[in-house]
Amino acid sequence: MLWTVLLALLLLLLLQTQLSVCLRELRSGGSSSTAYSSSSTSSSTSSSSSYNATMQRLPGAIIIGVRKGGTRALLEMLNLHPDVEVAKAEVHFFNVEEHYRRGLAWYQAQMPFTLRGQLTVEKTPGYFAAPQVPLRIWDMNPAMRLLLIVRDPAERLVSDYTQVLHNRLTRHKPYQPLEELLLHNGHINPGYKALQRSLYYQHLARWLEVFPREQIHVVDGDALIRDPFPELRKAERFLNLPPRISPNNFYYNTTKGFYCLLSAGHDKCLDESKGRPHAPLSTQAFKKLCRYFRKPNKLFFDMVGRSFSWC
């Protein structure tokens, strides 16, 4: 009888031991499975987050000029594209020594946050006429895509003067009449800076010493104002962007006298400085200006392989 009781107790102890082992294995397996699942989810989330993360990137395209040629309009219109993000302010990195000494990290920090696959675009119209800029951009990225928007150089000069005049008057500072700056003893003054900025062929020649012609896309600024969509479609193709901008993104504002932008149900017009009335210039002086630009314009047309309807 005693042996029977002892045998039963022994069997009970063996069963308890086996049960404990099974329970530990179950807990261990569940914990391992949970850890794997958590690790897998975390890894997946991290991968997705990494792909969708925004960061500041160096530009893949730069609008280099010309000043008062329509660079702001071009930038805002390109920004309609979902794959484009633009630097809101002119950075002046390559043409201002104080900025350039700060290095590419500083330049990159001025750029917008973008998703992978989006194109960052910067515009500083002062780049076009600055001799040191082409090589500096090349050193950063030899494959950089460059956009140059041009308009009638005589009209551009008057617009240039008008902006400077407005800025001077705002600060209550005097400024000479345009005709006094433009003419000297009845002849065109070649030393006038606004005139020099309109000699497109001289500046483009420096860029073509560094960049191949196919990396510089010339936008017709006068055509962009008259009918934006065709010029934007050409720019999309140059930038290797899928066609996403449509004629429905533009409407003509009769009050302002130029096209405004439509995107996602919201409209946007350029600020009040755009379309500002030009400073006065006599018809005779304007005709002299047009005659002065005929040869420089022809040289520019030959360089870009197309002509424009300028005075």
Side-chain angles (χ1 to χ4, degrees):
M1 180 69 178
L2 181 60
W3 285 106
T4 302
V5 173
L6 289 173
L7 185 60
L9 288 172
L10 183 60
L11 287 171
L12 183 60
L13 287 170
L14 287 171
L15 286 170
Q16 286 179 329
T17 302
Q18 186 64 35
L19 182 61
S20 296
V21 170
C22 289
L23 286 171
R24 276 199 303 273
E25 287 180 353
L26 283 171
R27 291 193 191 100
S28 174
S31 174
S32 174
S33 174
T34 300
Y36 173 79
S37 175
S38 174
S39 172
S40 176
T41 302
S42 174
S43 175
S44 174
T45 302
S46 174
S47 175
S48 174
S49 174
S50 174
Y51 182 82
N52 292 316
T54 61
M55 63 179 290
Q56 290 167 297
R57 296 172 170 85
L58 290 170
I62 300 176
I63 300 173
I64 58 174
V66 299
R67 173 170 157 157
K68 305 309 296 178
T71 56
R72 171 56 60 181
L74 178 60
L75 187 78
E76 296 290 352
M77 291 175 184
L78 286 174
N79 201 32
L80 291 167
H81 200 290
D83 294 342
V84 170
E85 289 293 341
V86 304
K88 302 302 181 186
E90 294 176 6
V91 182
H92 291 277
F93 176 65
F94 298 101
N95 65 328
V96 173
E97 296 306 312
E98 180 186 352
H99 294 171
Y100 192 67
R101 284 195 296 268
R102 293 175 180 175
L104 285 177
W106 180 86
Y107 182 49
Q108 186 169 334
Q110 313 311 307
M111 296 300 116
F113 284 85
T114 57
L115 295 169
R116 185 183 301 176
Q118 286 187 309
L119 175 68
T120 299
V121 179
E122 189 243 316
K123 80 103 176 169
T124 299
Y127 289 160
F128 183 55
Q132 74 274 30
V133 171
L135 190 57
R136 287 179 173 182
I137 292 180
W138 171 270
D139 286 341
M140 180 186 72
N141 181 4
M144 181 64 70
R145 287 163 286 181
L146 306 167
L147 295 111
L148 173 67
I149 179 167
V150 293
R151 63 185 288 202
D152 185 314
E155 295 286 351
R156 193 221 66 81
L157 181 152
V158 178
S159 181
D160 195 329
Y161 170 86
T162 301
Q163 178 176 315
V164 175
L165 174 65
H166 174 78
N167 293 341
R168 299 276 295 191
L169 293 177
T170 300
R171 298 195 299 269
H172 306 289
K173 293 185 177 181
Y175 199 55
Q176 286 178 269
L178 174 55
E179 207 151 326
E180 290 183 11
L181 293 168
L182 182 62
L183 300 177
H184 180 68
N185 295 328
H187 299 285
I188 295 294
N189 174 17
Y192 180 36
K193 285 187 178 180
L195 180 98
Q196 293 171 359
R197 283 192 282 265
S198 280
L199 299 175
Y200 302 152
Y201 81 98
Q202 287 186 355
H203 309 302
L204 183 60
R206 285 194 296 266
W207 289 87
L208 292 177
E209 290 174 358
V210 179
F211 286 94
R213 173 68 182 86
E214 57 269 21
Q215 280 179 236
I216 304 175
H217 177 65
V218 179
V219 178
D220 185 338
D222 297 309
L224 187 75
I225 297 302
R226 289 193 306 269
D227 186 9
F229 176 68
E231 289 299 315
L232 266 294
R233 180 49 52 88
K234 294 173 191 174
E236 281 180 323
R237 286 196 291 265
F238 170 72
L239 296 171
N240 295 321
L241 293 168
R244 294 289 183 269
I245 301 173
S246 80
N248 294 330
N249 287 123
F250 308 97
Y251 75 93
Y252 189 78
N253 187 308
T254 54
T255 303
K256 292 181 175 291
F258 52 79
Y259 278 88
C260 295
L261 316 182
L262 278 173
S263 180
H266 300 286
D267 68 335
K268 179 176 183 179
C269 290
L270 300 178
D271 65 50
E272 60 183 14
S273 70
K274 309 305 174 184
R276 180 187 293 138
H278 280 177
L281 181 66
S282 70
T283 302
Q284 183 182 8
F286 190 79
K287 286 181 178 178
K288 285 184 179 181
L289 190 58
C290 290
R291 285 195 297 270
Y292 182 88
F293 279 129
R294 281 176 188 166
K295 184 177 179 181
N297 289 349
K298 177 65 167 57
L299 292 170
F300 178 72
F301 297 163
D302 292 342
M303 294 173 83
V304 299
R306 60 183 290 194
S307 61
F308 298 85
S309 300
W310 295 340
C311 74

